[in-house]
Amino acid sequence: MQIRISNRYKDKIIEYVIPILLSIVIATILMLPEFLKHVGIFGNDTIFQLSRFYDASKQIQNHNFSYFQMNYGMGQTGRIINAIYGPFFAYLMGGLLFFAGSWFRYEIILTYVLFLIGGIGFYHLSRKVNVSKVVACVTTTLFLTSGYIFYWIYSNNGNCLGSVFIPYVIIQAIDLINNYKKPFNWILLGVTVAIIAQVHMLSTVMSILLLLPCFIYGLLLSSDKRKMWIDVIKAVILCVFLTANVWGAFLVVYGSNKVSSPLDFSPALTTLNLTTPSDVTMWMGITEGILLLFCIQLIYVLFNFKSSKINTFLTIEGFVFLILSSNLFPWKFVQDHFYVIASYFQFPNRLTAIAYPLLFVAVGITLTRLTTDHGKEIGRLALILVLIITLFNIKGDLNQASKSVAISEQNVDQVTKLRMTDLDVFIGSNPPGNPDYFALQHKMNSWEVEKFVAAHLNYRKGFSKEVLSGGRLKVSWNSKNDTNTSLPMVMYHQSQLELNGKKVDPKLNTIGMPIVKSKQGQNTAILSFKTPTWFIILLYISILGWVIMLVYGVFRLVKIAKK
C-alpha cells in the first residue's frame, strides 16, 4: 500500500516536472541567438510594453503609487495606460523588473516565465483529454513554437501575453462540454477569465468567444440545464468582482473623455495567409507542415467524428477560428461596413491565438487514438511525421530569431542601453509614440495622433520633471517672458493642474496637453489625478477578491497534498 502511494506521488511530480523542463529547453533553444550575441531584441511593441512595466516598477520601488496617472514611464507625461491595459499584471511585471537588474536580463526572464505558463498549461490541457505523455510533449512543443507564443521573442506584442493563458481557457471549455459527466468548477472558470482580463483585455474577449460555443454545446448535452446556468452565472459574478478595477477604470476614462484609439490597420491586409506558406508559423505566416497537419486532422475527424466528441468539437471550433483569422474570410467587406474593427481589433491573425491551441490539442488526441485504435506501428509512424514537422518549426523559428538579432545588433546604441543596469537610460531616450488612450479634444485619426505626439509631446527640451508624493508630477521650466507655453504632459477630465501654486483650468491642445501662461523666470506646474471614490471602492473589492481566492487556493492545495 505504501509503495502504491509512493508511486502515485512520483507520478504527480513527473507530471509537473516534464512540462517545466520542456518549456525551459524550448525557450532556451529559441533564445540561443540572443544568448550567443548578448543582444536584446526590440520589436514594434517593445518600448510600449517595457515603458508601462517600468512605470509600475518605479511606483513599487519608490512606494509612490498612482493607479491612473503614469509619472515614471510613457515619457513622464501623465498618460493613462496600465489602468485599462492589464493593471495587476503590470504591477507583477514591475516587481519582476525591480529584481532583474537590466532590460536584457528582464527580457530573458520574462520570456522564460511566459513559456513556462504556456507550456505547463498546454501540457496539462493535453493530459486532461488523455493524450499520452510523449504526444503531449510533442504538441506542447508545437504550441510553444507557433503563433503568438514565439512571436513574443520577436515583437513583444501584447497579444502574446494573453495567448499563453489560452490553454487554461480551453481546459475550462472542456469542463463545460463535459458538464453532463461532472459539473464544472465555476470558481475556476471565473478566476481563469479574470486572470486574462488582468493581463490583456482583447484576449479576454477572444476567450469568451472560445468559451461560448462550448457552453452552448455543454448545455445541450447537460441533463441539468438549470444548474449549469446557475453555475455559469456564479462564474460571471465572480469574474465581475475580480475585475472590478478593470471595468471600473474603463468607466472612469471612457465615461468622461473622448479617448483616442490604437493605430488602425486594414484587417484585410493583416490576415493569416493560408494560400502562400511561410518559413515560420507566426503573425501572418504558416508553414506548409503545420497547414498539412491541420488538413490531415480535419480529414481524420470527418471520417471519425463519432469516435470522440471532444476531438470533433475542438477540431471544428479550431478550424472556424482559423478561417476567421485568414485571408479566406471576407475581411475587406467587414472592414468597409464596420471600420471600428480596424482600430480596436486591428489584426484578424490574432484569432490564431485561439485556433492553434485548439487544433494542436486535437492533433494530440488523434495521435493517441491512432495508437489505441490502429496499433502501435501506425501510432509511431504518425508521431514521427508530426515530430519532423515540429523540428522544422523549431528550425524556422531559430532562423527568424537569428535574423531579428542581426537587425537589432546593428543599433549599437539601443543594444548598449538594454544591457545597462541603469534602467532609466533606455526608457528616458525612448518615449512611446503610440496614440493609445489620449483624451482628444476633437476627433482625430490614430495615425495623426501618433504624428502629433512625436512632434509636440516627446523629446521636449527645456523642461525638468520630478515625481512628487501622492502620485503627482511636477514640471519646471524657465521662461524669458510672459508667454503661452505648451507643457509636455497630458490631462484628462479628472486631471488637476496647479500652476505656480495656483489651481488653473488651462486650455488643452488636440491631445490634451495643457497650454498655460508662463511668467518671466522660473515656473512650475503640478499635475495630479482625482480618482473617484466609487472607483477606489471597486479597486479594494477587486484586491479583496483576489486575496480571498489566493487563500482559497492555498487551502485547496493543502487538502490535495494531504490526500
Side-chain angles (χ1 to χ4, degrees):
M1 184 66 178
Q2 188 65 36
I3 295 174
R4 191 183 304 166
I5 293 172
S6 179
N7 287 338
R8 278 181 58 194
Y9 183 68
K10 289 178 181 177
D11 288 341
K12 285 289 183 183
I13 293 176
I14 291 171
E15 283 287 272
Y16 282 96
V17 169
I18 288 175
I20 290 173
L21 292 178
L22 179 65
S23 301
I24 291 172
V25 169
I26 297 301
T28 302
I29 291 172
L30 297 182
M31 289 191 291
L32 272 177
E34 292 180 71
F35 287 136
L36 294 175
K37 296 289 184 71
H38 200 65
V39 170
I41 297 176
F42 36 92
N44 296 331
D45 291 335
T46 299
I47 293 171
F48 174 75
Q49 296 295 341
L50 296 189
S51 188
R52 71 188 193 91
F53 295 155
Y54 170 83
D55 186 87
S57 179
K58 294 294 284 187
Q59 288 188 39
I60 295 170
Q61 181 182 345
N62 294 305
H63 309 292
N64 190 357
F65 294 93
S66 174
Y67 192 83
F68 285 93
Q69 181 175 300
M70 301 186 74
N71 298 321
Y72 299 99
M74 295 294 155
Q76 290 193 289
T77 55
R79 291 177 62 179
I80 295 175
I81 301 289
N82 283 341
I84 50 179
Y85 193 115
F88 286 172
F89 182 76
Y91 280 107
L92 285 175
M93 292 300 96
L96 182 64
L97 175 60
F98 182 70
F99 292 103
S102 76
W103 286 113
F104 177 72
R105 282 198 294 268
Y106 178 69
E107 280 192 349
I108 297 298
I109 294 169
L110 181 52
T111 300
Y112 274 119
V113 169
L114 294 177
F115 270 68
L116 281 166
I117 293 171
I120 292 170
F122 192 87
Y123 180 85
H124 285 290
L125 164 63
S126 300
R127 296 293 289 149
K128 182 178 182 64
V129 290
N130 300 315
V131 172
S132 68
K133 289 186 178 73
V134 174
V135 173
C137 287
V138 174
T139 52
T140 298
T141 303
L142 278 173
F143 171 70
L144 292 175
T145 56
S146 301
Y148 275 90
I149 307 302
F150 168 68
Y151 192 55
W152 169 260
I153 299 176
Y154 177 69
S155 70
N156 296 149
N157 184 279
N159 210 64
C160 309
L161 300 174
S163 297
V164 301
F165 293 94
I166 296 299
Y168 301 90
V169 178
I170 300 176
I171 288 174
Q172 300 308 313
I174 290 170
D175 283 344
L176 285 172
I177 295 172
N178 287 333
N179 186 73
Y180 71 98
K181 296 179 181 177
K182 179 185 176 184
F184 71 93
N185 189 322
W186 62 270
I187 294 178
L188 283 179
L189 176 60
V191 168
T192 300
V193 177
I195 287 173
I196 297 177
Q198 297 288 356
V199 176
H200 189 244
M201 182 53 70
L202 190 55
S203 293
T204 312
V205 176
M206 293 196 293
S207 297
I208 293 170
L209 290 176
L210 188 162
L211 289 166
L212 196 57
C214 301
F215 165 68
I216 294 171
Y217 186 48
L219 194 63
L220 292 173
L221 295 175
S222 178
S223 59
D224 192 347
K225 292 178 174 53
R226 183 174 177 274
K227 184 181 186 313
M228 189 172 182
W229 268 111
I230 291 173
D231 285 346
V232 165
I233 291 170
K234 287 192 289 187
V236 170
I237 292 172
L238 175 62
C239 184
V240 167
F241 273 97
L242 294 176
T243 59
N245 62 312
V246 179
W247 56 262
F250 269 87
L251 290 176
V252 170
V253 178
Y254 282 83
S256 54
N257 297 279
K258 186 185 294 181
V259 182
S260 61
S261 64
L263 287 173
D264 56 324
F265 292 88
S266 169
L269 298 178
T270 55
T271 58
L272 174 67
N273 191 340
L274 288 180
T275 53
T276 307
S278 172
D279 295 330
V280 289
T281 303
M282 180 189 73
W283 187 234
M284 294 187 292
I286 186 170
T287 63
E288 291 176 329
I290 297 296
L291 191 55
L292 177 64
L293 183 63
F294 289 163
C295 291
I296 292 173
Q297 170 64 22
L298 181 61
I299 292 169
Y300 172 85
V301 164
L302 290 176
F303 283 96
N304 300 273
F305 63 90
K306 291 183 178 180
S307 63
S308 171
K309 286 187 179 73
I310 293 294
N311 195 11
T312 301
F313 191 88
L314 295 182
T315 302
I316 293 172
E317 186 175 10
F319 258 92
V320 168
F321 280 108
L322 188 70
I323 298 301
L324 287 173
S325 72
S326 76
N327 55 342
L328 300 182
F329 189 79
W331 281 107
K332 181 67 169 65
F333 174 84
V334 175
Q335 176 184 332
D336 291 342
H337 291 79
F338 305 96
Y339 188 74
V340 68
I341 289 176
S343 295
Y344 291 97
F345 185 62
Q346 296 176 305
F347 319 119
N349 68 72
R350 291 178 188 270
L351 294 172
T352 58
I354 300 175
Y356 288 163
L358 283 170
L359 291 171
F360 285 142
V361 75
V363 167
I365 296 171
T366 296
L367 288 173
T368 302
R369 289 196 70 87
L370 283 174
T371 302
T372 304
D373 299 342
H374 302 284
K376 291 183 178 180
E377 295 302 320
I378 296 294
R380 284 173 183 168
L381 179 61
L383 181 60
I384 289 171
L385 291 174
V386 175
L387 187 58
I388 291 171
I389 292 173
T390 307
L391 293 174
F392 274 105
N393 226 33
I394 295 173
K395 179 185 175 184
D397 286 358
L398 263 177
N399 288 337
Q400 182 63 53
S402 297
K403 291 176 184 176
S404 300
V405 168
I407 293 170
S408 293
E409 68 178 340
Q410 293 175 13
N411 193 332
V412 178
D413 182 56
Q414 291 284 57
V415 169
T416 302
K417 289 173 181 175
L418 285 171
R419 291 173 182 164
M420 288 181 177
T421 54
D422 186 355
L423 302 175
D424 301 354
V425 177
F426 176 77
I427 291 297
S429 59
N430 290 288
N434 61 296
D436 310 47
Y437 315 132
F438 285 99
L440 300 181
Q441 302 308 298
H442 60 81
K443 190 175 181 180
M444 277 182 78
N445 177 272
S446 58
W447 290 97
E448 293 176 328
V449 175
E450 185 186 51
K451 290 178 183 177
F452 198 95
V453 169
H456 300 282
L457 181 61
N458 293 339
Y459 301 109
R460 293 283 300 278
K461 295 180 180 180
F463 296 90
S464 63
K465 297 180 179 180
E466 179 187 355
V467 183
L468 305 179
S469 61
R472 298 171 298 153
L473 180 63
K474 177 182 176 182
V475 176
S476 303
W477 71 100
N478 202 331
S479 181
K480 293 181 179 179
N481 47 49
D482 294 350
T483 184
N484 287 332
T485 303
S486 175
L487 302 183
M489 55 173 57
V490 294
M491 295 182 67
Y492 298 80
H493 177 73
Q494 296 83 358
S495 299
Q496 296 181 340
L497 189 68
E498 188 178 293
L499 176 65
N500 297 321
K502 296 180 180 179
K503 286 187 178 181
V504 293
D505 186 16
K507 180 182 177 182
L508 305 177
N509 70 11
T510 188
I511 63 168
M513 295 170 61
I515 302 170
V516 299
K517 186 77 172 179
S518 298
K519 66 178 184 180
Q520 186 177 7
Q522 186 70 17
N523 293 266
T524 60
I526 298 175
L527 180 69
S528 59
F529 191 91
K530 185 173 177 56
T531 305
T533 304
W534 60 264
F535 175 79
I536 296 173
I537 295 171
L538 290 179
L539 177 61
Y540 281 120
I541 287 173
S542 182
I543 293 172
L544 179 62
W546 284 109
V547 170
I548 293 172
M549 286 298 101
L550 185 62
V551 172
Y552 170 77
V554 170
F555 275 109
R556 287 273 297 177
L557 286 174
V558 171
K559 190 175 180 180
I560 292 170
K562 285 181 177 179
K563 287 184 179 180

